[in-house]
Amino acid sequence: MRAMQRSRRSRVALLAVATCLLCCGEEALSQAPTVSPQLLQVFQSLTPEQQDAIMKQLGLGGGAAGLLGVLGGGGSGTDRQPNRQRESGINAERESSVTEEQLEPVPPGLKAEDWVIVQVDLPAAAKPAAPQGAAPAGIAAPALSAGTTGGASANALSSLLAATATPPPPAHADAATEAEKHRVQPLIDVIRSKNPYRLSRDGVLTLPGFVPIALLGLTDEEATLRLKVEPGLRGVDIRLTRLALRKTGVEGLKPFGYDLFSKAPSTFAPVTNVPVPSDYLVGAGDELDVQLYGNQNRSLRLVVGRDGRVSLPDIGPVNVSGQRFNSVKSAIEARVERQMIGVHASVSMGDTRSIRVFVLGEAKRPGSYTISGLGTVTSALFAAGGVRPIGSLRSIELKRQGELVRRLDLYDLLIRGDTVDDTKLLQGDVIFIPPVGTTVGVDGEVRRPAIYEIKGESTVTDLVQLAGGLTPDADRSAVMLTRIDDSQHRVVMPVDLSAGARTQALRNGDLLQVARLRPTLDSGILVQGHVFAPGAFAWHQGIRLTDLVRSVDALRANADIHYLLIRRETPPDRRISVLSADLAAALAAPGSKADLDLMPRDRITVFDLESGRDRVIQPVLDELRLQSNAEQPSQVVHVDGRVRVPGEYPLEPGMTVSDLIRAGGGTTDSAYGGKAELVRYRVVNEQARRTELVDIDLAAALHGTPSANLQLQPFDTLSVKEVPEWESQENVTLRGEVRFPGAYAIRRGETLKSVIGRAGGLTTYAFAEGSVFTRDELKQREQEQLDMLADRMQRDLALLALQAAGANQSGAATALSVGQSLLGQLKGAQAVGRLVIDLPRLEHSAQGSSYDVILRDGDTLSVPRFQQQVTVIGEVQNATSHLFNPKLARDDYIALSGGATRRADRSRIYIVRASGSVLASEGSRWFEHRANAPIKPGDTVVVPLDTEHIPALPLWTQVTQILYNVAVAVLAIRSI
């Protein structure tokens, strides 16, 4: 505590000096033209020798005083007079704040034996220094007032600061930096390697290679600053962070009872709302409330005077001082009835007097206190802030007129609730707190671990009772007593509380540690997993599995009744072994070989068929691997393929192929029962590992045939094959104008014509030319292509933007705007997965012809009703649909839509047939007379964007075509 106070006083002094310097600097700046704060910062960052040199060259006093003369010395004495008054007021205010600060608790800082992290790293790259001979950046040099001491100016000061500033780095600065890194890197590594650090009991940090550094009471920021000024750490960036670890065990023991005063009452004013006890001694300053009734009805408030008397009207003075309240009440009431005929009195206590008592000794705030006349010893202790940790709670003395009146043991109050010795106080009483007596600590399995002051307790049994007794988990035979013997050696002595060692005598500084019983189950069986009542069950000789699990009703739904895992510890080395049980077989034949005998500490796990088993099995496998060696390899086998729960399983003694399949939850529906493969690894001549492949007749193994149901060895892997051509059921969907639309299950290789025939064929209203056939695989592939095209176009747009910015091209903004619009549409486009088919020809061709489609799972055929419209989209004035007219050609429909826009590419107009096929005009002789291009019902005329008049993006034509085609396919599907 004294070290913390000294540290705090030093910090307060440093802060006071810094505050005075800054305050005077600000005052000078207020009297003179503005001086840059950077100037003050640079000056303060110089060494004391450099500051003195600058002040001497300016003809001023050295250090901060000279600087204050430069910055604030102007003005006449009259002008400085108000400043002196203001300074005196500030000083008085500071003295008041310091006085208040001494009464406040010390702010939290580093404490003894705290844990800290020291973060250390190479310094950040230094900023380039200012040219030699020039003022540092950001420093102004305004002229000071004419009254500046010595005629110095801020210009001169700036010049001197610049002259003493760090010169620019030489040409070999990089080499010097590298050399510095090589020098400090080992220091950084060794400091990091020792993290975390722990302060000593004196609050000292010891870094490797450094002298101890005192940090007691400092905050994290202050401790970091302290480390930064250490000469050996000036070339690194360092930071200290305290770890707010909660101390446990012996280190976390606290003296018992002292936290009673941690939350003191907010006031100790006289209490008026509690009844006054009948044995209260009335004294000067007390108030008596007298209610007269009968022939007279009035209330009187009588104050006991200094002479100990009260004056009753019509009666006279009555002496009440030093008498008990019960006696005063009876005397006044009797005297009123005797002297005032027909009048009765009722006397009660008003405000009680205040008394002054002294709390001395090891109190937190010893001194004189004024408390209520009803106050007791504990009231005075609360007023004084409680007892210091070095004070005694068991021998608090109450002295009256120099004589010991009562001795208070707060343990009676805290442990037994006994307030007999908490007597009421009188004027001038003295409460004296002596130093703490003999203390012993108790930790571990007791109800109140703490450090206790012993008074009448002299044995270990007394100490355990003082600590509230032992917990149910306490190990009475494993109690250790640590003490300092007569040779000043710290020794440990065993104490067996279950035997006759309870009378072991205690000494000052003893520490009693009560160990906890081990959590392992010594004699019992643990049942866990998918059961209704998991828990520990009693073990007895001859107990079997069916004695614990009497029926499948004890298991939850979907429990695996064919594979129960039993983990067993075999004494004396607690070697782990694993067994499994078939509960169905055990319940069918209780007491048989399937109904296993159980041992103490067995752990039975019931699995769920719906979830995995790794959470339980993997820890067991890890235990088996840890105890394996070359002579006893890991007892692990593996099963994969068509079993319900493939994976690794423990190898049981005598485990066979059928047992492994049972562990894997059994075979699935798709398991091939003809043959399975067993891969076996063997070490040949202790030199090489060889792989052996064994064919297993799975059906025979499951029936228990010994020739097929082989016994397994470590690392065996069983693979259960799948039935050939076994796959999940495939389905296709027919929608629209078919006689029986819906989902149809298909066989492998079945074609579209076959399924249409099963659906009754097309209706009379079907528009076969406009049918849409989609496939999930194509949809996924198209979507990937769309995403790749969008990414490529985004990169091209970014490149175009850079090129346009560099060349200052006109029209680049328009191109980027169009490109961004296309990119947004492309990112929003969703692939359809359409496969173009010719459904009319498919209907009239034989099954399996080149027009027929072999179906896959998820295929969809959508057949719309007959279409009578022709749609025009793209770069036209009004993109819309028109009623089909056989007399109109392609350009006629474009004209009906208002004609093409100026951005249209007339040379690349194309037609999308209702079937999804495209008729392009570019490079086609059939389209030499484009105006006469034949149009059919359901067709879509696409007028693309002319991308040649926009700065080059080669993908734009392709993107616009893709967007139009996707739109046509989506419209075709939605029309069904």
Side-chain angles (χ1 to χ4, degrees):
M1 182 62 70
R2 294 179 180 176
M4 292 182 63
Q5 292 177 351
R6 289 196 299 269
S7 175
R8 179 171 180 81
R9 285 197 296 267
S10 61
R11 286 187 286 137
V12 170
L14 290 174
L15 291 175
V17 172
T19 304
C20 293
L21 179 60
L22 294 177
C23 290
C24 295
E26 293 175 357
E27 189 174 332
L29 291 173
S30 65
Q31 297 176 3
T34 304
V35 177
S36 173
Q38 289 84 349
L39 184 62
L40 295 175
Q41 184 177 359
V42 171
F43 180 83
Q44 293 172 355
S45 65
L46 299 178
T47 63
E49 293 78 8
Q50 291 175 329
Q51 294 179 3
D52 292 338
I54 292 174
M55 292 299 101
K56 289 179 181 179
Q57 293 186 32
L58 292 174
L60 305 173
L67 178 63
L68 295 179
V70 174
L71 297 178
S76 61
T78 306
D79 297 333
R80 290 194 295 266
Q81 185 65 27
N83 293 331
R84 293 196 186 99
Q85 296 176 357
R86 185 179 61 176
E87 290 175 1
S88 61
I90 293 176
N91 293 333
E93 183 178 355
R94 288 176 183 168
E95 292 176 359
S96 175
S97 64
V98 170
T99 304
E100 295 177 357
E101 186 180 2
Q102 292 174 354
L103 298 178
E104 295 177 356
V106 178
L110 292 174
K111 301 176 183 177
E113 300 182 345
D114 272 355
W115 289 93
V116 297
I117 291 289
V118 179
Q119 297 170 292
V120 59
D121 204 345
L122 291 172
K127 296 182 179 179
Q132 189 170 5
I139 296 183
L144 298 179
S145 60
T148 302
T149 304
S153 65
N155 290 329
L157 179 59
S158 300
S159 301
L160 289 173
L161 288 175
T164 56
T166 303
H172 59 279
D174 294 339
T177 303
E178 290 298 327
E180 183 69 15
K181 289 182 180 179
H182 288 297
R183 184 187 68 83
V184 300
Q185 189 62 49
L187 174 65
I188 293 176
D189 294 339
V190 70
I191 293 178
R192 288 176 176 175
S193 65
K194 301 298 182 180
N195 271 316
Y197 292 87
R198 191 177 190 183
L199 302 185
S200 68
R201 300 188 65 177
D202 297 328
V204 173
L205 173 65
T206 303
L207 296 177
F210 290 84
V211 297
I213 304 172
L215 301 178
L216 186 65
L218 300 182
T219 63
D220 291 2
E221 292 76 12
E222 293 170 340
T224 299
L225 293 176
R226 172 62 185 88
L227 294 178
K228 286 183 178 180
V229 300
E230 191 68 22
L233 298 173
R234 289 181 181 175
V236 297
D237 285 341
I238 191 168
R239 179 173 181 80
L240 182 140
T241 304
R242 178 178 53 176
L243 299 178
L245 296 178
R246 183 177 181 180
K247 295 182 179 180
T248 58
V250 177
E251 295 183 354
L253 291 181
K254 296 181 179 180
F256 175 75
Y258 291 88
D259 54 354
L260 173 67
F261 306 99
S262 59
K263 295 182 179 179
S266 58
T267 178
F268 292 95
V271 181
T272 58
N273 57 352
V274 295
V276 176
S278 59
D279 59 349
Y280 175 73
L281 295 180
V282 179
D286 286 335
E287 293 184 358
L288 299 177
D289 293 334
V290 180
Q291 177 69 38
L292 301 179
Y293 59 94
N295 290 339
Q296 296 184 18
N297 293 310
R298 56 175 174 166
S299 298
L300 303 175
R301 171 158 293 188
L302 307 178
V303 180
V304 180
R306 293 185 178 181
D307 55 356
R309 295 185 297 178
V310 294
S311 297
L312 283 172
D314 303 331
I315 294 179
V318 178
N319 187 17
V320 296
S321 178
Q323 302 180 33
R324 299 182 183 274
F325 171 70
N326 197 20
S327 301
V328 173
K329 173 181 172 66
S330 301
I332 294 178
E333 291 177 353
R335 189 166 181 177
V336 168
E337 291 181 1
R338 186 172 59 253
Q339 296 186 8
M340 301 177 66
I341 300 175
V343 178
H344 302 278
S346 175
V347 180
S348 61
M349 197 74 191
D351 293 341
T352 58
R353 67 186 182 278
S354 296
I355 61 175
R356 178 170 291 274
V357 297
F358 296 90
V359 183
L360 303 175
E362 301 302 332
K364 288 186 177 179
R365 293 191 296 267
S368 174
Y369 292 91
T370 300
I371 62 174
S372 169
L374 297 175
T376 62
V377 175
T378 54
S379 303
L381 292 178
F382 273 109
V387 182
R388 297 173 60 189
I390 62 173
S392 173
L393 296 182
R394 310 207 61 179
S395 297
I396 301 175
E397 300 175 354
L398 172 61
K399 296 184 178 182
R400 186 171 297 160
Q401 296 179 356
E403 295 182 359
L404 180 63
V405 176
R406 192 69 60 93
R407 197 184 301 272
L408 173 65
D409 186 353
L410 283 179
Y411 280 23
D412 292 338
L413 175 64
L414 296 172
I415 297 177
R416 291 176 285 275
D418 185 2
T419 60
V420 173
D421 292 330
D422 188 18
T423 185
K424 293 181 177 57
L425 301 178
L426 299 179
Q427 176 71 24
D429 281 355
V430 176
I431 295 95
F432 179 75
I433 305 172
V436 67
T438 302
T439 58
V440 294
V442 56
D443 185 36
E445 294 304 312
V446 293
R447 301 190 184 277
R448 286 193 302 266
I451 300 174
Y452 292 91
E453 179 185 1
I454 58 176
K455 186 177 179 182
E457 302 81 10
S458 59
T459 64
V460 171
T461 302
D462 297 335
L463 178 59
V464 172
Q465 292 178 355
L466 198 62
L470 301 176
T471 64
D473 293 335
D475 188 353
R476 297 175 179 269
S477 62
V479 181
M480 298 298 167
L481 182 65
T482 304
R483 71 168 35 159
I484 300 175
D485 62 7
D486 297 335
S487 302
Q488 298 298 306
H489 295 158
R490 196 178 300 273
V491 296
V492 178
M493 303 171 56
V495 177
D496 191 355
L497 295 181
S498 61
R502 300 184 179 183
T503 59
Q504 175 70 46
L506 297 175
R507 292 184 181 181
N508 189 22
D510 281 356
L511 174 63
L512 185 69
Q513 293 178 287
V514 183
R516 187 176 187 179
L517 290 171
R518 59 179 180 271
T520 57
L521 194 63
D522 295 322
S523 179
I525 301 172
L526 184 64
V527 179
Q528 62 183 15
H530 212 57
V531 296
F532 283 111
F537 296 87
W539 175 86
H540 59 82
Q541 190 69 35
I543 188 172
R544 292 180 177 269
L545 177 62
T546 53
D547 295 330
L548 296 182
V549 185
R550 300 181 182 276
S551 69
V552 294
D553 294 335
L555 310 181
R556 296 181 181 272
N558 299 321
D560 189 352
I561 62 174
H562 297 290
Y563 182 71
L564 275 66
L565 182 69
I566 302 175
R567 176 190 176 275
R568 176 167 294 175
E569 296 182 8
T570 305
D573 57 354
R574 298 181 61 182
R575 187 173 182 84
I576 305 299
S577 60
V578 178
L579 303 174
S580 69
D582 188 342
L583 182 61
L587 293 175
S592 64
K593 184 179 179 180
D595 191 9
L596 298 180
D597 288 322
L598 301 178
M599 300 295 292
R601 296 188 181 182
D602 278 356
R603 188 171 64 195
I604 305 173
T605 303
V606 181
F607 293 103
D608 180 8
L609 289 174
E610 297 180 348
S611 57
R613 303 176 179 182
D614 292 342
R615 180 180 57 85
V616 176
I617 292 181
Q618 191 59 46
V620 177
L621 296 177
D622 294 339
E623 290 177 330
L624 293 176
R625 290 189 177 98
L626 287 175
Q627 66 184 16
S628 63
N629 50 46
E631 297 178 356
Q632 295 180 338
S634 300
Q635 304 298 301
V636 178
V637 290
H638 186 274
V639 60
D640 57 21
R642 296 305 170 183
V643 292
R644 285 189 173 88
V645 191
E648 290 184 335
Y649 289 90
L651 177 61
E652 311 164 21
M655 189 176 190
T656 61
V657 171
S658 60
D659 293 332
L660 181 56
I661 294 176
R662 178 170 56 85
T667 58
T668 62
D669 296 338
S670 60
Y672 177 56
K675 186 178 70 172
E677 289 183 351
L678 180 65
V679 179
R680 177 164 290 173
Y681 301 96
R682 294 189 179 188
V683 178
V684 180
N685 298 328
E686 298 182 356
Q687 294 181 356
R689 182 180 180 181
R690 296 289 183 263
T691 303
E692 180 183 356
L693 183 63
V694 181
D695 292 333
I696 301 295
D697 187 346
L698 188 60
L702 292 177
H703 284 87
T705 304
S707 60
N709 194 21
L710 301 180
Q711 187 170 341
L712 300 178
Q713 298 178 7
F715 307 112
D716 280 357
T717 298
L718 179 66
S719 298
V720 180
K721 300 180 181 180
E722 184 182 64
V723 173
E725 299 185 3
W726 179 281
E727 291 182 359
S728 300
Q729 185 64 52
E730 296 184 351
N731 296 277
V732 296
T733 303
L734 302 184
R735 300 170 50 200
E737 294 301 321
V738 292
R739 293 188 182 276
F740 301 103
Y744 288 85
I746 61 174
R747 61 184 181 275
R748 177 177 287 189
E750 189 170 2
T751 62
L752 179 60
K753 184 175 179 62
S754 172
V755 176
I756 292 177
R758 292 165 55 190
L762 305 181
T763 67
T764 56
Y765 300 102
F767 183 43
E769 292 83 355
S771 61
V772 178
F773 184 85
T774 59
R775 177 165 288 174
D776 292 340
E777 296 178 5
L778 295 178
K779 181 178 180 180
Q780 182 178 359
R781 192 182 310 165
E782 290 176 4
Q783 189 63 47
E784 292 175 356
Q785 295 295 329
L786 287 176
D787 295 339
M788 292 175 59
L789 187 60
D791 294 339
R792 183 178 175 187
M793 186 175 181
Q794 188 169 8
R795 292 194 299 268
D796 291 345
L797 281 175
L799 180 60
L800 176 62
L802 293 176
Q803 293 175 350
N808 196 17
Q809 296 177 359
S810 59
T814 303
L816 290 175
S817 176
V818 174
Q820 291 292 347
S821 176
L822 290 176
L823 180 60
Q825 297 179 36
L826 184 60
K827 288 185 175 181
Q830 297 294 327
V832 178
R834 182 176 185 178
L835 177 65
V836 178
I837 63 174
D838 193 344
L839 190 59
R841 290 190 180 183
L842 184 149
E843 286 186 301
H844 296 89
S845 61
Q847 184 173 338
S849 66
S850 59
Y851 296 101
D852 206 353
V853 180
I854 299 176
L855 297 177
R856 297 183 182 179
D857 185 37
D859 287 350
T860 301
L861 176 66
S862 302
V863 183
R865 289 189 179 184
F866 183 76
Q867 305 290 329
Q868 291 182 285
Q869 78 278 358
V870 175
T871 304
V872 182
I873 63 174
E875 294 299 323
V876 292
Q877 300 296 339
N878 183 22
T880 186
S881 297
H882 305 278
L883 185 64
F884 172 72
N885 189 343
K887 298 180 180 181
L888 300 180
R890 185 200 69 184
D891 288 353
D892 297 329
Y893 286 104
I894 294 176
L896 290 177
S897 294
T901 64
R902 290 183 297 174
R903 299 191 302 175
D905 189 350
R906 298 176 182 274
S907 63
R908 291 188 175 90
I909 298 176
Y910 60 94
I911 299 172
V912 180
R913 295 296 189 192
S915 62
S917 60
V918 178
L919 300 179
S921 61
E922 185 176 11
S924 176
R925 293 183 179 179
W926 186 79
F927 265 77
E928 289 179 355
H929 301 286
R930 291 171 290 181
N932 298 323
I935 300 295
K936 298 180 180 181
D939 286 354
T940 300
V941 180
V942 180
V943 182
L945 176 69
D946 186 4
T947 59
E948 294 182 355
H949 294 82
I950 303 176
L953 266 185
L955 296 176
W956 287 17
T957 303
Q958 181 182 357
V959 169
T960 55
Q961 292 179 358
I962 291 175
L963 292 175
Y964 291 142
N965 294 341
V966 170
V968 170
V970 172
L971 290 175
I973 295 176
R974 290 179 178 177
S975 63
I976 299 173

